[in-house]
Amino acid sequence: MGWENDGKERPGTGRLWTAADLGAAMSLGGAQLPAAGLLAWVYVSTTRDDYGAGYGGALAAFFVLLVGVVVVPVLLPLLSAALTFALTLPSVVLARLAARRAGGPSWLWHLPAPAVPAALWGVLTLPLWPLTTSVPALTALGLPPTLWVALARGRAWRPSGVWWRAAAGSAVLLVAALGGAVLATETGLIHRYEPPRLSTGRLAGVWRGAGGAELRLSPDGRAEAVRLPAQPPDYDWLDKEYVRCGGTGTWRPEDRDDLDRRGIRLRLDGHCGEDTDWSFGGTEDAPELFVLFGDPDAGTLRVLRRA
């Protein structure tokens, strides 16, 4: 490919890691993050349950402003540095050591090298993410800057040339990520989230939530509640406050076609709270009941899970 003249280092660049390599790693490490962030956001927002919350209006404008003012000028260099020292630096060093010991084109060893630190960080973060998620994602993040370091050293670019090329590449990556995300969602490559469809038999049982909330549903339509969040009297749709109610009552399925989600309507006896609509969430294997009090953009979410 002409990157490093058949794997031979140029004069004066035989060290495993140099200041020029650091600049190249930082440049593309930061340049790829907007595209990576876009793909991550599309994946999470498409495949995960948003519990009926909206992200438009003033909240969306505030988020865009926050990203432009804080994330880009402040967090982007920090994230780029973290990526460089956690993934790119060890990948480049491993690749060059392998090239010296085993021979062959140096750039070729830069292709598999990022998988090694990615696997290490995957094991360390195993309590947070499964290896099948963390290792491919970290390898994909480490590969472009690792190859970029090899290309920059092979071409002997000046630092300014490295940075402006990375900036141009950032725009190309962002456009490609946007097009790829749209294509993946429209073709079904990324499966859109769908809430579970729960029958009366699956709804019957005990559901528990935060703060000691408990709801017991019987197949005959009876219900028992303990410290259960409920819609307060004189409820306003912008009011995200709720009351906690207990006692007995009734429930019935809400499966009208005009509803965005199916769920149940719960009516508790007494004067604690009004009828409350609980919607289906979670997955078929781990179903949930949830209610969102107040404005969907900034409401209060309460979730119940099977005991």
Side-chain angles (χ1 to χ4, degrees):
M1 295 181 64
W3 282 15
E4 295 194 42
N5 296 332
D6 297 328
K8 297 180 180 180
E9 302 287 350
R10 291 178 180 271
T13 60
R15 288 179 294 173
L16 294 176
W17 187 260
T18 67
D21 295 334
L22 177 62
M26 289 281 292
S27 66
L28 198 68
Q32 71 173 349
L33 289 179
L38 174 65
L39 290 175
W41 178 80
V42 169
Y43 179 81
V44 171
S45 62
T46 303
T47 62
R48 302 291 180 86
D49 191 353
D50 63 1
Y51 296 103
Y55 299 99
L59 186 63
F62 174 77
F63 178 76
V64 172
L65 180 64
L66 182 65
V67 169
V69 174
V70 177
V71 175
V72 173
V74 177
L75 292 184
L76 194 61
L78 296 177
L79 293 174
S80 177
L83 175 63
T84 295
F85 289 101
L87 293 175
T88 310
L89 188 154
S91 298
V92 171
V93 171
L94 285 172
R96 288 175 176 163
L97 285 174
R100 289 182 181 182
R101 292 180 179 273
S106 178
W107 65 267
L108 189 60
W109 291 100
H110 288 68
L111 288 172
V116 177
L120 175 61
W121 286 110
V123 172
L124 294 177
T125 59
L126 191 57
L128 301 177
W129 300 285
L131 291 175
T132 53
T133 299
S134 60
V135 174
L138 292 174
T139 301
L141 278 176
L143 181 58
T146 299
L147 291 175
W148 188 248
V149 170
L151 179 60
R153 178 181 283 202
R155 296 293 178 85
W157 286 333
R158 295 178 180 272
S160 59
V162 171
W163 283 90
W164 76 256
R165 286 179 172 89
S170 179
V172 173
L173 287 173
L174 190 59
V175 172
L178 180 60
V182 172
L183 182 63
T185 53
E186 292 300 323
T187 59
L189 185 61
I190 297 179
H191 297 287
R192 296 180 182 273
Y193 169 79
E194 293 185 3
R197 302 176 68 89
L198 304 178
S199 63
T200 300
R202 295 191 66 191
L203 285 165
V206 179
W207 301 77
R208 293 194 176 103
E214 182 175 300
L215 175 63
R216 185 182 299 272
L217 301 177
S218 300
D220 59 2
R222 291 180 297 172
E224 298 179 21
V226 177
R227 293 185 54 79
L228 189 71
Q231 184 172 294
D234 302 324
Y235 176 74
D236 182 271
W237 74 276
L238 289 175
D239 187 3
K240 61 182 179 180
E241 299 299 325
Y242 60 91
V243 294
R244 287 191 178 272
C245 297
T248 60
T250 60
W251 70 276
R252 61 182 173 86
E254 287 285 292
D255 55 1
R256 302 193 317 268
D257 293 336
D258 60 335
L259 294 177
D260 292 335
R261 289 187 189 235
R262 302 192 175 206
I264 65 171
R265 170 159 290 188
L266 179 67
R267 173 175 293 178
L268 295 178
D269 301 330
H271 304 284
C272 178
E274 301 293 334
D275 296 356
T276 304
D277 293 324
W278 291 83
S279 300
F280 299 160
T283 64
E284 293 288 346
D285 296 330
E288 299 172 344
L289 295 175
F290 75 90
V291 60
L292 187 64
F293 297 100
D295 185 352
D297 285 342
T300 300
L301 176 68
R302 288 296 175 263
V303 180
L304 301 178
R305 297 177 175 88
R306 291 300 297 262

